[in-house]
């Protein structure tokens, strides 16, 4: 009788083989590398990785408590390279992502339709406590935060070649963007329909840096197996 896989309902692979896939995923191997290591079919590996990433998105939402303290905010652009002659925030063909980072702690990311004040400030108000100290660049979308009760909002003006002013900077948030873009570049292009899954995976890995990602996910999947 085939042994039940307690991590993956109705699975045709053994628990041992599933744990191999999960270990490879946690080691940040690509699907092709996992296929080579486990000798599983590429479609099987792709399906498992997609289900793991969907679960990570769910976990990220559950674990996403409002941030408080020293908070850096910034937007970044992912996807197609900048088109020559097209300038400005959110140049054509790119996906806009807004991020908030509590210094020395966790990051939160969200795909946004634009960089307007209404869009960005709505997320800031929803994801940070009013007592937080907000650090941003000089983008006009952050104008008026003080009017909403944020008494401490500090800016650095990158347009004036200013990267920091004392403790006022967004270096932590920019470091996360660099990490995410470097990590995603190995996929050599990505369908927009799955971009959020990969973005939230970057967020999850960053927020659990220094921890045993394999044990965290294995414990979660024992409680709620993949379907």
């Amino acid at each position: 009788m085939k042994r039940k896989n307690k991590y993956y309902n109705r699975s045709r692979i053994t628990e041992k083989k599933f744990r191999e896939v999960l270990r490879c995923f946690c080691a940040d191997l690509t699907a092709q590398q996992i296929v080579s290591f486990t000798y599983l079919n590429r479609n099987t590996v792709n399906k498992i990785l997609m289900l793991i990433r969907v679960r990570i998105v769910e976990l990220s939402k559950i674990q996403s408590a409002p941030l408080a303290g020293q908070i850096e905010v910034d937007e970044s652009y992912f996807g197609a390279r900048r088109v020559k002659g097209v300038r400005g925030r959110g140049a054509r063909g790119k996906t806009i992502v807004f991020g908030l980072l509590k210094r020395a702690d966790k990051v939160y990311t969200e795909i946004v339709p634009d960089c307007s004040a209404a869009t960005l400030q709505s997320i800031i108000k929803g994801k940070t406590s009013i007592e937080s100290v907000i650090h941003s660049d000089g983008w006009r979308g952050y104008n008026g935060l003080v009017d909403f009760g944020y008494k401490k909002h500090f800016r650095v003006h990158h347009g004036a070649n200013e990267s920091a002013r004392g403790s006022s900077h967004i270096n932590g948030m920019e470091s996360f963007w660099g990490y995410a873009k470097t990590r995603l570049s190995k996929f050599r292009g990505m369908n927009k329909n799955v971009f959020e899954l990969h973005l939230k995976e970057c967020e999850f890995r960053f927020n659990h840096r220094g921890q045993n990602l394999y044990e965290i996910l294995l414990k979660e999947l024992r409680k709620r197996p993949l379907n």
Side-chain angles (χ1 to χ4, degrees):
M1 182 177 176
K2 199 174 202 180
R3 188 178 177 185
K4 183 180 177 183
N5 187 330
K6 62 175 172 282
Y7 307 110
Y8 184 10
N9 289 332
R10 297 184 296 277
S11 172
R12 295 183 178 181
I13 66 172
T14 65
E15 284 186 4
K16 180 180 179 181
K17 188 63 70 172
F18 178 82
R19 288 195 297 268
E20 285 181 10
V21 174
L22 186 62
R23 283 188 185 278
C24 290
F25 172 82
C26 293
D28 215 6
L29 301 187
T30 65
Q32 187 55 54
Q33 288 172 323
I34 295 174
V35 167
S36 299
F37 184 78
T38 62
Y39 301 105
L40 288 172
N41 177 277
R42 176 64 183 262
N43 289 337
T44 299
V45 170
N46 284 346
K47 182 178 180 181
I48 294 172
L49 297 187
M50 184 194 71
L51 291 173
I52 292 172
R53 288 179 174 122
V54 169
R55 178 60 57 83
I56 282 175
V57 172
E58 294 172 359
L59 282 175
S60 295
K61 290 178 179 177
I62 292 170
Q63 297 173 357
S64 181
L67 303 174
Q70 300 280 336
I71 310 298
E72 299 178 20
V73 300
D74 192 34
E75 338 86 59
S76 194
Y77 306 89
F78 291 75
R81 293 185 178 181
R82 185 179 297 277
V83 178
K84 187 175 182 180
V86 179
R87 298 185 178 183
R89 272 170 152 79
R92 187 184 309 145
K94 289 184 176 286
T95 299
I96 312 171
V97 180
F98 183 51
L100 302 91
L101 173 102
K102 178 179 179 180
R103 288 182 177 172
D105 198 356
K106 294 187 176 181
V107 69
Y108 170 80
T109 61
E110 185 172 328
I111 297 171
V112 293
D114 55 58
C115 295
S116 66
T119 296
L120 302 186
Q121 293 186 30
S122 174
I123 298 172
I124 292 171
K125 286 183 284 183
K127 297 302 299 182
T128 66
S129 71
I130 202 70
E131 297 83 14
S132 296
V133 178
I134 306 296
H135 300 272
S136 75
D137 62 15
W139 174 240
R140 63 176 179 269
Y142 303 118
N143 293 349
L145 276 175
V146 173
D147 298 331
F148 286 109
Y150 291 90
K151 301 302 182 185
K152 294 183 178 180
H153 174 204
F154 300 104
R155 297 174 182 257
V156 288
H157 296 278
H158 291 163
N161 293 321
E162 182 181 56
S163 60
R165 185 187 303 148
S167 63
S168 295
H169 59 77
I170 53 172
N171 296 344
M173 196 65 243
E174 290 182 334
S175 178
F176 172 78
W177 295 139
Y179 156 72
K181 289 179 178 180
T182 298
R183 192 181 163 277
L184 295 180
S185 66
K186 69 181 180 181
F187 295 103
R188 301 181 184 277
M190 184 181 301
N191 190 306
K192 282 193 173 185
N193 293 331
V194 298
F195 173 72
E196 184 183 20
L197 296 179
H198 289 274
L199 173 67
K200 284 298 185 180
E201 181 188 344
C202 290
E203 177 185 312
F204 189 81
R205 287 179 183 276
F206 180 88
N207 288 343
H208 291 87
R209 61 198 182 278
Q211 300 176 43
N212 190 323
L213 200 62
Y214 173 75
E215 291 297 337
I216 290 171
L217 289 174
L218 203 63
K219 182 179 179 181
E220 163 63 20
L221 297 176
R222 284 194 196 105
K223 292 189 296 183
R224 289 194 303 140
L226 299 176
N227 288 303

